[in-house]
Amino acid sequence: MQSFEQLLKQFEEHFNKRLFPKEPASLYDAAQHILSIGGKRVRPVAVLMGNELFDDIKPDAWQVATAIELFHNFSLIHDDIMDEAPLRRGKQTVHAIHGINTAILAGDVTLTMSYDYIGKVEGDVKSILALFNKTALEVSEGQQMDMDFEKRETVSLAEYVRMIELKTSVLLAASLKLGAMIGGASVGNTEHIYEFGRNLGIAFQVQDDYLDCFGDPAKFGKQVGGDIKANKKTFLMIHALETASAEQQQQLKALMQNNPADKVEQVLAIYKSAAVDEWAMQLKNQYFEKAMKHLEDIAVLNKRKIALQQLAQFLVQREY
Amino acid sequence: MQSFEQLLKQFEEHFNKRLFPKEPASLYDAAQHILSIGGKRVRPVAVLMGNELFDDIKPDAWQVATAIELFHNFSLIHDDIMDEAPLRRGKQTVHAIHGINTAILAGDVTLTMSYDYIGKVEGDVKSILALFNKTALEVSEGQQMDMDFEKRETVSLAEYVRMIELKTSVLLAASLKLGAMIGGASVGNTEHIYEFGRNLGIAFQVQDDYLDCFGDPAKFGKQVGGDIKANKKTFLMIHALETASAEQQQQLKALMQNNPADKVEQVLAIYKSAAVDEWAMQLKNQYFEKAMKHLEDIAVLNKRKIALQQLAQFLVQREY
């Protein structure tokens, strides 16, 4: 049983090569660019960990891990276009360098290439393809909901959770489940690992929204309050608008409309006063506990679960 | 053995239903829109014809035909964004109605949905997935080359043929070959039907470029000279720039730069004077003859080939 770090190192070695054809360079260099930006590579390592929970890592797990990371990068290329984001991890986004049209195509070929790796699976390719397709549709649905929410005045907590589930959680859940399927897990065990990943993904997003408000800037690596400045609907803002006093709700709406210079400080003060920060930590822990319960219920020896427990702890306790 | 029209009618009945989930409607209604615009449906019917050349049509052929038509529509959604096209077949394009961001996502889910139908194949899904993936990459490569050519001053005939092959021909070729594979054709026969489709696709594009210049407006259904007005590099323009007299080449370049009111008439006069129209018909016939030779070489009874012969005649002789 290997740790996240050990598997990450192996995946990086496996993945850090030219995955695209050479020509036309105007297209494939653009696609290769997003891969060179790097990333946490949590999802592909989750495939490997899902496999290793049940059995030695099989060659199919490497193909699917590659497919999952390519898929994730396809969604980043297209999301960055939609978000008009000039930078990702401090580097220029694909469309910022190559223009929107080539970026659309670069995303398209990255998505197609992910299916090429699915096609290299020696085992039950149909089951793997089915879960991969279902997940791919859900991720796009989540992105559409996210865009739809931006145009709406109010979003309920349940709607936001559903959006996060689709946009973020299901890809982590599917990565773990695909690995488990390759590792020969029973249907019951694959369902538990999926639910582990789904709940963990939501807990991860609660932490993400929390850090944006209450993270330590020294550790967080970026300015606090970015979501507040952008009027983003987050776990914290939605809960504040649902539960703070009528006066506080009015203040929040006025702050979002008027964008004063001290907007971040004022919103944070309301969050503190309405105990939104404590609520967020409780919510995160609820999802985290649900995730851990599903991990417990997987019928393998406890010692095999240590790596996944550590990954879970890291994802929800990280301060950056 | 059924005619193109008979198979088209059956495919339309099969395809003209809601293929996407209902929610989120903001995403899937946008994707469904492109399907409702309709189309010639040549490619999915080619899958069915490729199957029936060798054997009765199997359920897998319907899945792959649906996948191919979905893939084609995915590429139309994204191409229309890149071309900034407001209309397709007289109806508003997806991005014109729903905005670029939703149109990008609508294309993405249409592509993913095409893989969902590939995943329903009962037979050798890995071979089918491999050809589908290879073709999908090539179509994007062709689109990128097309965009690259727009920015270049000169494009050679060989380069243009390669671009058309990728952007247009390989999808027709792959449709026929996928059908043949499902029909149980030998490797040699699947290669011949692929080459039949590839050459036919190029002949089709020569006819397309020819009709834009010399089509009968009454039959053609659109104004003659659209490519000339847009300074598009076509078979005719590339050949004229390569072979017309030095004086005519200078005239063509000046016309493209200055865009006079009678540009179309002047360019057409040069084409006629340099016999570019006759050359185009010869070129079309060369590719058509190559295609028919490959159809001849397929080892099945001649009477099974009648429908494909009729389709080929229609595609290169059509006047609209």
Side-chain angles (χ1 to χ4, degrees):
Chain A
M1 299 299 296
Q2 298 164 85
S3 69
F4 180 85
E5 288 73 20
Q6 287 171 315
L7 292 171
L8 175 63
K9 193 162 168 286
Q10 290 170 57
F11 180 74
E12 292 281 10
E13 279 165 19
H14 179 85
F15 193 72
N16 287 350
K17 59 185 186 215
R18 175 92 181 190
L19 294 178
F20 293 98
K22 275 197 174 172
E23 296 290 340
S26 50
L27 174 60
Y28 289 124
D29 287 356
Q32 191 68 38
H33 171 71
I34 186 91
L35 306 185
S36 72
I37 288 179
K40 290 192 287 291
R41 314 296 194 209
V42 170
R43 297 160 194 83
V45 175
V47 176
L48 303 174
M49 293 174 86
N51 179 162
E52 206 176 30
L53 183 61
F54 299 96
D55 199 353
D56 290 346
I57 295 176
K58 296 183 187 167
D60 279 355
W62 294 99
Q63 311 290 14
V64 172
T66 304
I68 286 281
E69 187 61 15
L70 284 168
F71 175 84
H72 176 58
N73 279 277
F74 137 74
S75 75
L76 297 181
I77 297 174
H78 281 187
D79 285 6
D80 284 342
I81 299 172
M82 297 177 214
D83 299 343
E84 299 179 18
L87 296 175
R88 169 169 295 280
R89 304 175 73 85
K91 295 197 181 156
Q92 277 197 291
T93 47
V94 177
H95 67 94
I97 300 174
H98 300 277
I100 287 178
N101 287 354
T102 292
I104 293 174
L105 275 179
D108 294 345
V109 294
T110 306
L111 177 55
T112 302
M113 196 59 95
S114 75
Y115 281 101
D116 211 42
Y117 280 87
I118 295 292
K120 291 177 183 175
V121 165
E122 298 284 331
D124 181 6
V125 70
K126 280 189 68 169
S127 299
I128 287 170
L129 188 56
L131 178 55
F132 194 84
N133 285 333
K134 173 176 170 285
T135 308
L137 288 180
E138 288 173 338
V139 171
S140 288
E141 291 168 15
Q143 171 68 6
Q144 180 69 41
M145 284 174 77
D146 199 11
M147 297 195 303
D148 291 346
F149 288 176
E150 273 178 37
K151 293 175 202 148
R152 279 169 49 178
E153 206 166 307
T154 58
V155 172
S156 75
L157 183 63
E159 288 176 314
Y160 184 72
V161 170
R162 180 67 186 144
M163 183 275 283
I164 291 302
E165 202 171 76
L166 293 170
K167 186 171 169 170
T168 302
S169 287
V170 295
L171 190 56
L172 179 62
S175 299
L176 291 160
K177 182 171 175 176
L178 288 165
M181 288 160 64
I182 293 166
S186 69
V187 171
N189 282 340
T190 63
E191 279 167 15
H192 279 306
I193 203 167
Y194 186 88
E195 288 303 310
F196 164 72
R198 192 175 64 80
N199 284 287
L200 186 62
I202 301 172
F204 174 89
Q205 186 65 44
V206 178
Q207 178 75 353
D208 216 57
D209 289 0
Y210 176 87
L211 285 177
D212 189 80
C213 292
F214 300 107
D216 177 348
K219 293 178 186 165
F220 191 43
K222 46 184 174 179
Q223 239 188 330
V224 158
D227 290 344
I228 294 172
K229 282 184 195 149
N231 282 348
K232 269 198 76 176
K233 291 169 190 88
T234 64
F235 276 107
L236 290 82
M237 180 59 82
I238 288 166
H239 183 69
L241 287 172
E242 283 186 354
T243 63
S245 70
E247 192 194 346
Q248 286 172 325
Q249 291 185 32
Q250 282 310 317
Q251 285 174 342
L252 282 173
K253 284 175 191 164
L255 286 165
M256 285 196 278
Q257 204 147 31
N258 304 328
N259 291 309
D262 62 346
K263 177 176 164 189
V264 171
E265 290 72 25
Q266 286 203 54
V267 170
L268 291 180
I270 295 172
Y271 284 177
K272 280 273 182 196
S273 152
V276 171
D277 52 340
E278 288 168 29
W279 169 84
M281 287 300 95
Q282 281 166 19
L283 184 73
K284 181 185 83 173
N285 286 332
Q286 280 170 23
Y287 282 109
F288 180 73
E289 293 304 328
K290 273 193 208 169
M292 297 312 281
K293 182 74 180 64
H294 281 289
L295 183 58
E296 262 173 44
D297 287 349
I298 296 173
V300 298
L301 289 178
N302 269 331
K303 65 176 181 184
R304 298 194 80 92
K305 298 178 184 173
I306 295 169
L308 281 171
Q309 284 161 350
Q310 287 172 338
L311 173 68
Q313 295 279 357
F314 165 73
L315 287 179
V316 301
Q317 290 176 0
R318 81 213 144 81
E319 299 191 39
Y320 53 90
Chain B
M1 299 299 295
Q2 299 164 84
S3 69
F4 180 84
E5 287 74 18
Q6 287 171 315
L7 292 170
L8 174 64
K9 192 160 169 286
Q10 289 169 57
F11 180 75
E12 292 280 11
E13 278 165 21
H14 180 84
F15 193 72
N16 287 350
K17 59 187 187 215
R18 175 92 179 189
L19 293 178
F20 293 98
K22 273 196 176 172
E23 296 291 340
S26 50
L27 175 59
Y28 289 124
D29 287 357
Q32 191 67 40
H33 170 72
I34 186 93
L35 307 186
S36 72
I37 289 179
K40 291 194 286 291
R41 313 299 193 207
V42 169
R43 296 160 194 83
V45 174
V47 176
L48 303 175
M49 293 174 86
N51 180 162
E52 207 177 29
L53 183 62
F54 299 96
D55 199 352
D56 291 345
I57 295 177
K58 295 183 187 168
D60 279 356
W62 293 98
Q63 311 290 14
V64 172
T66 304
I68 286 281
E69 187 61 14
L70 283 167
F71 175 84
H72 176 58
N73 279 276
F74 137 74
S75 75
L76 296 181
I77 296 174
H78 281 188
D79 285 5
D80 283 343
I81 299 172
M82 298 177 214
D83 298 343
E84 299 179 17
L87 296 175
R88 170 169 293 282
R89 302 175 75 83
K91 295 197 181 156
Q92 278 195 289
T93 48
V94 177
H95 68 95
I97 300 174
H98 300 276
I100 287 177
N101 289 354
T102 292
I104 293 173
L105 275 178
D108 294 345
V109 293
T110 306
L111 176 56
T112 302
M113 196 59 95
S114 75
Y115 281 100
D116 211 41
Y117 280 87
I118 296 291
K120 292 177 183 177
V121 165
E122 298 285 332
D124 181 6
V125 70
K126 280 188 68 169
S127 299
I128 287 170
L129 188 55
L131 178 54
F132 194 83
N133 284 333
K134 173 176 170 285
T135 307
L137 288 180
E138 288 173 339
V139 170
S140 287
E141 291 168 14
Q143 172 68 7
Q144 181 68 42
M145 285 173 77
D146 198 10
M147 298 195 302
D148 291 346
F149 288 177
E150 272 178 37
K151 294 175 200 147
R152 280 169 49 178
E153 206 167 307
T154 56
V155 172
S156 75
L157 183 63
E159 287 175 315
Y160 184 73
V161 169
R162 180 66 186 146
M163 183 274 283
I164 290 302
E165 199 171 78
L166 293 170
K167 188 172 170 171
T168 302
S169 287
V170 294
L171 191 56
L172 179 63
S175 300
L176 290 161
K177 182 171 175 176
L178 288 165
M181 287 160 66
I182 293 167
S186 70
V187 171
N189 282 340
T190 64
E191 279 166 15
H192 279 306
I193 202 167
Y194 187 89
E195 288 301 312
F196 165 71
R198 193 175 63 80
N199 284 287
L200 186 61
I202 299 171
F204 174 88
Q205 186 65 44
V206 178
Q207 177 74 353
D208 217 55
D209 288 0
Y210 175 86
L211 285 178
D212 189 80
C213 292
F214 299 107
D216 177 348
K219 294 179 187 166
F220 191 42
K222 46 184 174 179
Q223 238 187 330
V224 157
D227 290 345
I228 294 172
K229 281 183 197 151
N231 282 347
K232 271 198 74 175
K233 293 170 188 86
T234 64
F235 275 107
L236 290 80
M237 180 60 81
I238 289 167
H239 183 70
L241 287 171
E242 283 187 353
T243 62
S245 70
E247 190 194 348
Q248 285 172 325
Q249 291 184 34
Q250 282 310 316
Q251 284 174 342
L252 282 173
K253 283 175 191 167
L255 286 166
M256 286 195 276
Q257 205 148 32
N258 305 328
N259 290 310
D262 63 346
K263 179 176 162 188
V264 172
E265 290 71 25
Q266 286 203 54
V267 171
L268 290 180
I270 295 172
Y271 283 178
K272 280 272 182 198
S273 151
V276 171
D277 52 341
E278 287 169 30
W279 168 84
M281 287 302 93
Q282 280 166 17
L283 185 72
K284 181 186 82 171
N285 286 332
Q286 279 169 24
Y287 282 109
F288 180 73
E289 293 304 327
K290 273 193 208 169
M292 298 313 281
K293 181 76 180 59
H294 282 289
L295 184 58
E296 261 173 44
D297 286 349
I298 296 174
V300 298
L301 289 179
N302 269 332
K303 63 176 180 182
R304 299 194 78 92
K305 299 179 185 173
I306 295 169
L308 281 171
Q309 283 162 349
Q310 285 171 340
L311 174 68
Q313 295 279 358
F314 165 71
L315 287 178
V316 300
Q317 289 177 0
R318 81 212 145 79
E319 297 191 41
Y320 54 89

